Structures are given as structure tokens and as C-alpha cells.
Amino acid sequence: MSTSVTELVDQLVKQYDRPDAVAAELLCRRHPRDAVAFTVVEADLSSRDVTFGELDEASGRVAAGLAALGVGKGDRVATLMGKSVELVTALMGIWRLGAAHVPLFTAFAPAAIALRVTGNGTKVVIADPDQRPKLEPGPDMPVEREWRVVTTGVPAGGDVGFADLLATDAPAPDPVPVGGDGTLIELFTSGTTGTPKGVPVPLRGLAGMHAYQELGLYHTDDDVFWNAADPGWAYGLYYAVVGPLATGRRSLLLRAGFSPELTWNVLSRFGVTNFAAGPTVYRALRNSGLPVPGDLRLRRCSSAGEPLTPDVVTWAERALGVPVRDHYGQTETGMVVANAWHPDLVAAIKPGSMGRPLPGWRVEVLAADSDEVVPTGEQGRVAVDVPASPLMSFTGYRDAPERTAERFSPDRRWYYTGDVATKDADGYLTFGSRDDDVILMAGYRIGPFEVESVLVQHPAVAEAAVVGEPDELRGEVVVAHVVTRPGTETGDELAAELQQLVKTRLAAHAYPRRIHFVSELPKTPSGKIQRFLLRQRGGRPTA
């Protein structure tokens, strides 16, 4: 590893882990005011550039408006918004006040939203007009709200208009220092048991995001950079929004849903040179049958969110002219392993490998029953060596000491990722499976427990178990095994009802693509569902 790369990591840690660190300064105000921060692209390919100066000025007014609503240092402000100028302006306004951002994925149903904004100090939820109905009181949304609603549409019934925040004549508040330990973001991550847990991301976590933007993605000054991931999730928020802001380099934001045709058009029209997306996007482009534009300028392509299969790499080299390099990380850690693009780190791709630990991280494979590093090539638990990883900023989940304890060794040396892999003699890690059964579908992490909790709300369902099964396009899909109550008529109609229930009560993307009605679920003597047996069945029903 070169001295320059090591020095960069050291400099970033010192820069972001300061007691007087100010998010608004580090992410906006220190950059040239006339430099473009974001190019927001519409579905018709029209676009708008937003400079750092414009972002600073507009976010100052938003901060003044939020302060008038009672938002201050340490409070939570949630956003239920798509990619837009309003979103990035809101984020900078939140951080200017020293408050924390709670991202809400726009496919979430009311129950999933309520879980993330109730009881955690959320003062305001900012929502787009098409998302605003989800915040209405109902079975999953409290009547007495702890938070105010700001809408980017026409306000009604006690709401505040985002345009009114922008129009305030109150002076912009001075950016509030929160220090390296101050919470910048609070995301929620899902496991197989219990409800999703809040992951507080401290301001010093920007060091890792900045480092990955420079070293893993190699986002340079002359790049046209586009990370197509949704900012409602970690990879999109960290590396389509926050990472570019930290480096002061332009990022494209597409205000439209995914389609292969539109993706090809954006890559072509805007001359994208550096592209990041989940494997599902690359598979969909490959399978679309559409011609590859002849004027692509791609120099670097990266992938994260789920394992990247070798066939996608081979296709990309042929069709795009560059390989897709696989990268690995988590909501808690950010990106820690990569087939990195930086010239001092770039190396041959080993088929199926997610790469080597990035500078600032030590990642090892531990034995199943001890915290001993396993021999080269032996499968084991992926763990981060915390003292040897200066970019590690995660210390625990919000108000969940038991779950936090499960993630760390008793001496706090090791952070357990919950994943299984092998490591070869050259330091390359190859993903094996997940210890915690989280389903990775098209880059989205779906906790089986959340889906199961919705399925059993149906009066016909006695028990349910959810697993992930391989899928050529999405990597994995959600598959449910359902035990119904006596006398229930099973079939396509009930399956459709259950799918719709999950869409309505949890999230549109999390519904089971297949439902198998079974007589019983395999369990241990203590009553725990043996999901590995369900995966081995390959979806074959038992009844």
C-alpha cells in the first residue's frame, strides 16, 4: 500500500474526528461556491445544476424554518422523499442545525415509516406530495403525532410547505458544531429477529465515506459520476449524496424510477464516466435486449449491495468496455472491502471475489466457534478488527444494548458482520452466505422477521417463515412458506392477498415473489425455525 493512500486515511480521520467538527462546513461551505454539487436529471433528460453556493444559501433558509419548528442540535428530521433538489437542500438544512437525518425509503408502507419516526426524537418529517398520504393517522400511524409534517407539495391540515421554509426572511442560523461523535444520520437495518435497529452514523463516519469515494470508486475531479442507488438506503445515501459532498465533486441524481432504456439514455446523454449500481441494474441492462449506445464514455463501473456474479463482469467487459468491480460493506460500517479502482490499489479481478480490505480497515475470517483467524481458504465468519480499523465509526445500535452486544466480541476487538466468507493468500475475500439470513434482493436488505410479522396478521395464517432464494435478475427474491389455519382454502387468491398485505403494511419491494403453503415448518427442539432446511427444499411444498 502506498504512503499516499495511508496518509490520505490518516488525514481524513483527523479532519472529521474533531471536537469542533461542523457538518455544514465539511460537506458544503468549504467547497468553491461556484462548483457544481449535483446535477439533477429528470425523466425527460432535462437537468438542473446545483452549486455549493446555491445549496448553502437555500439550506440556510430551510435551517431557519426548521429551527422555527423546534428543531435543534441532536433532534431527528426524517425525509420521505425521492432524489431531488429539495432533498439535498433539506439534508444540508438538517445538518446545519446539528440535527440528525432519518432516511425513509419511498416504498415503505405506513407501519415501516412509523417504526422509524416514533419514539426516537423525530421532530419533523419532510415528505413529497405522493408520499404524504402515508403519514395520515390509521392502523399503523399514530393519531397523536410527535412530529410536524413539512410537504414539498401544497400544505394542508396543519402541514408546513417546504416552499414556505425557503421563503422565510429569518436569518440563517450559524452552522452548529457537533464534533466527531455527533450523530449525522440514523438509518435502520433489519435482521432475522426483532424489529429493525437504528444505526447512528457519527460525523466522524464521513472519513470512511470520503475514503471510499476516493479509493474504492476513484471519483475524480474530471469524472461525470452517477451512483444509481436510492438514497433511502445506505449505499445511495452514503455514496450518491454524502460521499460526493465530502469530496466536493459533482454527482448525478436521477428523478425517476429505474428502466433499462432510461439508464442507457442517461449514461449516453450525460457522458457518465464513473458509474455505480447494484448487480440487478447491470443484469437488467444485459437482459433488456436494447442496443448499447455507441457513445458511452465509461471508465469505471462498480457494484455493491449483493454478491456480483462473474457473468456480469464478463458481459460488462464486452458490452461496456470496462469490468464491473464488486465492493462490500454494511449500513453499520460503510464500505470495507473492494476491488478498488484507485491506481495504487487496482489489481486483477478474481471471479466471484468481492476484493480486498480497503485502506483503513482490517477484515479477517474467524472460526465458527472462536475469535481465532482461520487458515487461508477456510470458510468462517467475516469480522472487522476494530482497533486496527481507524475508519470504523459504528459503536452500537440506538437503545438496543443486547443487539449491540451480539455484534461485538466481549473485548470489543471484533465487530461481527454476520456474513460468512473465505480469504485467500492474496487477501481476496469471497462471499459465502449470511449468518443472520437477511435477504439481499436487488441491493435491498430485507429482514425475514419483518415480512413474517406482516404475513401472520392475515386471519388465515397460523405461521410463516421467509427465506431468500436465488434469482437471476435480482440476486435473491423473497419466498414465503406459510402454514394456514384449519379449514382455510389455499391457492392463488390467498397468495395474492398475502402479497398485497406485505406491500401495504411493510414495503412494495419486500413482498414474497413466491408463496408455498405447507403443513408445518421445520424447527429445532427449542422451536426455532430452521430456515436453512427451507432453502434446501428449493421452494418445494410439503403439503
Side-chain angles (χ1 to χ4, degrees):
M1 190 181 301
S2 72
T3 303
S4 62
V5 167
T6 304
E7 289 176 347
L8 174 64
V9 171
D10 292 341
Q11 291 168 3
L12 292 175
V13 171
K14 292 175 183 176
Q15 186 177 92
Y16 292 106
D17 194 12
R18 295 167 51 96
D20 59 348
V22 180
E25 293 287 347
L26 292 165
L27 294 174
C28 182
R29 305 188 94 200
R30 64 173 172 155
H31 302 312
R33 294 185 66 82
D34 60 350
V36 176
F38 296 99
T39 296
V40 180
V41 180
E42 302 292 338
D44 63 2
L45 300 184
S46 62
S47 64
R48 173 186 170 187
D49 287 342
V50 181
T51 66
F52 282 99
E54 290 170 331
L55 185 58
D56 178 47
E57 195 273 334
S59 64
R61 296 198 301 272
V62 169
L66 291 174
L69 296 177
V71 176
K73 182 178 179 179
D75 291 330
R76 268 64 176 163
V77 177
T79 58
L80 187 57
M81 307 169 72
K83 292 169 273 191
S84 63
V85 175
E86 290 81 7
L87 173 64
V88 295
T89 303
L91 297 186
M92 199 55 62
I94 294 165
W95 293 327
R96 187 174 183 131
L97 294 173
H101 169 229
V102 180
L104 300 172
F105 184 40
T106 52
F108 278 151
I113 294 168
L115 175 72
R116 290 160 171 80
V117 299
T118 303
N120 68 342
T122 297
K123 290 287 185 71
V124 172
V125 177
I126 307 174
D128 286 338
D130 61 331
Q131 298 292 321
R132 176 61 182 86
K134 296 178 181 178
L135 303 176
E136 290 295 335
D140 299 312
M141 191 62 63
V143 175
E144 298 295 327
R145 295 195 298 249
E146 304 170 15
W147 27 267
R148 298 287 301 276
V149 175
V150 172
T151 178
T152 57
V154 178
D159 289 358
V160 175
F162 192 80
D164 294 330
L165 299 186
L166 287 171
T168 182
D169 56 4
D174 292 332
V176 176
V178 297
D181 291 332
T183 300
L184 186 77
I185 300 164
E186 185 170 281
L187 289 87
F188 283 72
T189 188
S190 299
T192 55
T193 58
T195 56
K197 303 297 186 293
V199 178
V201 179
L203 191 147
R204 59 191 170 90
L206 288 175
M209 297 180 200
H210 190 145
Y212 172 69
Q213 205 77 27
E214 298 256 14
L215 303 177
L217 297 170
Y218 194 43
H219 180 184
T220 62
D221 289 338
D222 61 349
D223 266 324
V224 177
F225 174 77
W226 181 25
N227 180 343
D230 192 288
W233 298 90
Y235 195 66
L237 179 60
Y238 293 175
Y239 307 115
V241 178
V242 182
L245 284 171
T247 64
R249 298 187 178 108
R250 179 169 71 124
S251 177
L252 299 189
L253 294 178
L254 176 62
R255 276 195 53 161
F258 170 77
S259 77
E261 182 178 14
L262 182 56
T263 301
W264 284 131
N265 288 338
V266 173
L267 291 171
S268 172
R269 175 73 65 86
F270 291 89
V272 175
T273 60
N274 195 327
F275 183 55
T280 301
V281 169
Y282 293 105
R283 292 192 194 102
L285 291 175
R286 180 191 63 185
N287 298 341
S288 68
L290 296 170
V292 178
D295 58 353
L296 293 184
R297 297 174 54 199
L298 289 168
R299 298 187 302 226
R300 291 179 282 280
C301 290
S302 306
S303 175
E306 58 183 294
L308 183 69
T309 50
D311 60 297
V312 175
V313 180
T314 302
W315 166 81
E317 288 181 309
R318 184 181 68 253
L320 306 179
V322 292
V324 180
R325 289 181 166 265
D326 196 15
H327 300 170
Y328 165 85
Q330 296 187 323
T331 299
E332 293 90 336
T333 61
M335 306 307 289
V336 299
V337 174
N339 289 286
W341 278 106
H342 190 279
D344 291 346
L345 303 172
V346 71
I349 296 174
K350 294 191 176 185
S353 172
M354 56 196 185
R356 297 180 289 188
L358 286 161
W361 297 95
R362 183 184 174 215
V363 181
E364 297 290 355
V365 178
L366 306 181
D369 55 359
S370 73
D371 289 341
E372 299 297 322
V373 177
V374 301
T376 298
E378 187 174 312
Q379 193 172 79
R381 299 174 297 148
V382 180
V384 174
D385 186 340
V386 177
S389 302
L391 294 179
M392 177 69 168
S393 63
F394 176 70
T395 58
Y397 300 101
R398 179 184 172 98
D399 300 330
E402 292 183 1
R403 179 61 174 146
T404 297
E406 293 172 0
R407 282 295 200 184
F408 289 91
S409 59
D411 61 1
R412 301 281 292 193
R413 175 183 175 181
W414 299 103
Y415 164 77
Y416 307 130
T417 66
D419 292 326
V420 171
T422 58
K423 190 175 186 181
D424 71 12
D426 297 320
Y428 284 80
L429 288 132
T430 298
F431 183 85
S433 64
R434 285 166 297 282
D435 272 355
D436 61 3
D437 289 322
V438 166
I439 300 164
L440 287 180
M441 189 195 74
Y444 300 131
R445 293 175 65 87
I446 300 171
F449 180 81
E450 289 186 273
V451 182
E452 292 161 2
S453 297
V454 173
L455 290 172
V456 297
Q457 294 175 21
H458 194 286
V461 175
E463 288 185 295
V466 168
V467 297
E469 289 184 6
D471 180 80
E472 182 179 353
L473 177 62
R474 301 178 182 88
E476 281 187 316
V477 292
V478 178
V479 176
H481 298 256
V482 173
V483 179
T484 58
R485 298 186 185 280
T488 300
E489 183 176 345
T490 60
D492 292 344
E493 184 175 344
L494 178 58
E497 285 183 22
L498 295 176
Q499 290 173 325
Q500 186 59 39
L501 183 67
V502 175
K503 290 180 183 179
T504 304
R505 302 298 297 275
L506 179 59
H509 70 287
Y511 77 93
R513 262 54 178 188
R514 293 189 291 276
I515 295 179
H516 302 295
F517 296 104
V518 298
S519 59
E520 62 181 5
L521 300 174
K523 296 178 182 178
T524 65
S526 63
K528 293 182 180 179
I529 296 173
Q530 295 175 303
R531 289 186 177 83
F532 72 96
L533 291 178
L534 293 175
R535 287 192 290 268
Q536 289 175 2
R537 289 179 184 175
R540 294 187 299 274
T542 59

